[in-house]
């Protein structure tokens, strides 16, 4: 669970920072979704194989 929260926070934070820097409004949600997706993919590759 901590991987998922950490991925969302890191990529969401990057999206938030880029939104503030560029003046856009779409990078925060994109970062959150990307962080969650990449974290789930990492967990599947790490723990899903037997």
């Amino acid at each position: 669970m901590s991987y998922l929260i950490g991925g969302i926070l890191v990529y969401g934070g990057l999206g938030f920072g880029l939104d503030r820097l560029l003046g856009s409004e779409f990078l925060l949600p994109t970062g959150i979704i990307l962080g969650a997706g990449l974290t789930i993919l990492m967990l599947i590759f790490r723990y899903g194989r037997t």
Side-chain angles (χ1 to χ4, degrees):
M1 190 69 171
S2 63
Y3 284 115
L4 184 60
I5 294 169
I8 290 171
L9 287 177
V10 168
Y11 284 100
L14 287 172
F16 176 75
L18 287 173
D19 271 344
R20 300 276 294 188
L21 184 67
L22 301 174
S24 61
E25 297 179 354
F26 67 92
L27 292 174
L28 175 62
T30 303
I32 291 172
I33 293 169
L34 181 67
L38 288 176
T39 304
I40 290 170
L41 186 64
M42 182 200 68
L43 289 173
I44 289 171
F45 282 138
R46 187 170 192 177
Y47 297 112
R49 296 181 186 199
T50 57

